[in-house]
Amino acid sequence: MPEDNSEKLGVAPLAWASEVIGKHPGRAVILSTHEYLNDAPPGRTRTGDAVFGEFVSEHDQVFLVLSGHHHNHEASGEGSALSNDGEWHQVSKNRFGREVVEVLQDFQDYPRGGDGWLRIVTFDREHAELRFETYSPVLGRFQAETVAEDGPRASRFRIPLNLTARLGAAPRPRAPLQTWGRGAAAAPTAGARA
């Protein structure tokens, strides 16, 4: 079983994230983190409990947490997982009484290092739900296991969530895309040819 990192959880990253959220009070937040949920035993890890209690629960803007790291349900070893390994989801309430969707996806024990499995999340305002599907572009297929078949280990599931009420009624303006980082070209100056 992977090492539990709860003792190593530093306040600095959570303080930084709290500061960023505080500067953007009207923005919905999706937290993507490494170790948070486990699939066996299912639920939050000690680190996940600490992050939930000190950060997620305290910020009503956080409505979705995506995590990886754990893949213990099928304990047959690397490359031998067939289905439901590294998959779990649950819905918790923050201290404001609002739902936070928490989802684990970690497919590294599937053959060939994971067969390219990835999670697709669809935000559907019209039907007031989040839809989750698991797809492999390597294999060209979806995993079909549903909640009716596999409960919270499902590969395909829907979470009711009134996105308009939870995330705000009006669409937010989009900032223009800006290139940054290594390899970003400087913007051409006035009169220069691109």
Side-chain angles (χ1 to χ4, degrees):
M1 182 153 181
E3 179 183 327
D4 188 328
N5 296 315
S6 60
E7 281 81 33
K8 298 176 187 173
L9 181 64
V11 176
L14 298 180
W16 170 82
S18 291
E19 183 179 319
V20 171
I21 288 175
K23 289 179 181 177
H24 305 280
R27 299 286 185 194
V29 175
I30 299 170
L31 173 65
S32 178
T33 188
H34 183 71
E35 179 189 342
Y36 186 84
L37 289 178
N38 198 350
D39 60 346
R44 270 191 236 108
T45 63
R46 285 191 344 209
T47 298
D49 279 338
V51 171
F52 184 84
E54 294 183 28
F55 179 75
V56 174
S57 171
E58 297 299 311
H59 294 284
D60 195 34
Q61 292 163 254
V62 179
F63 73 98
L64 176 60
V65 179
L66 304 173
S67 68
H69 187 64
H70 289 289
H71 45 92
N72 302 315
H73 180 61
E74 292 183 24
S76 9
E78 188 174 325
S80 60
L82 301 173
S83 67
N84 301 359
D85 192 53
E87 293 184 281
W88 180 261
H89 71 275
Q90 64 188 35
V91 178
S92 299
K93 297 261 187 186
N94 65 18
R95 76 173 186 91
F96 304 93
R98 301 220 297 174
E99 294 183 341
V100 178
V101 179
E102 301 164 302
V103 183
L104 166 70
Q105 51 275 315
D106 189 317
F107 306 107
Q108 67 190 27
D109 274 352
Y110 286 75
R112 294 168 293 284
D115 274 337
W117 290 108
L118 54 92
R119 190 70 64 131
I120 299 170
V121 184
T122 302
F123 297 77
D124 188 339
R125 283 186 188 255
E126 184 179 332
H127 295 100
E129 67 184 15
L130 296 176
R131 282 194 306 276
F132 295 81
E133 299 173 285
T134 305
Y135 178 74
S136 169
V138 172
L139 302 175
R141 68 180 176 89
F142 287 90
Q143 286 190 9
E145 296 84 17
T146 65
V147 171
E149 299 162 334
D150 290 324
R153 294 190 201 292
S155 297
R156 196 173 210 165
F157 56 95
R158 299 167 186 256
I159 303 284
L161 182 66
N162 183 332
L163 296 165
T164 303
R166 184 68 171 94
L167 309 180
R172 293 180 170 64
R174 294 181 186 222
L177 292 177
Q178 299 174 357
T179 55
W180 57 276
R182 203 165 13 153
T189 57
R193 292 173 63 174

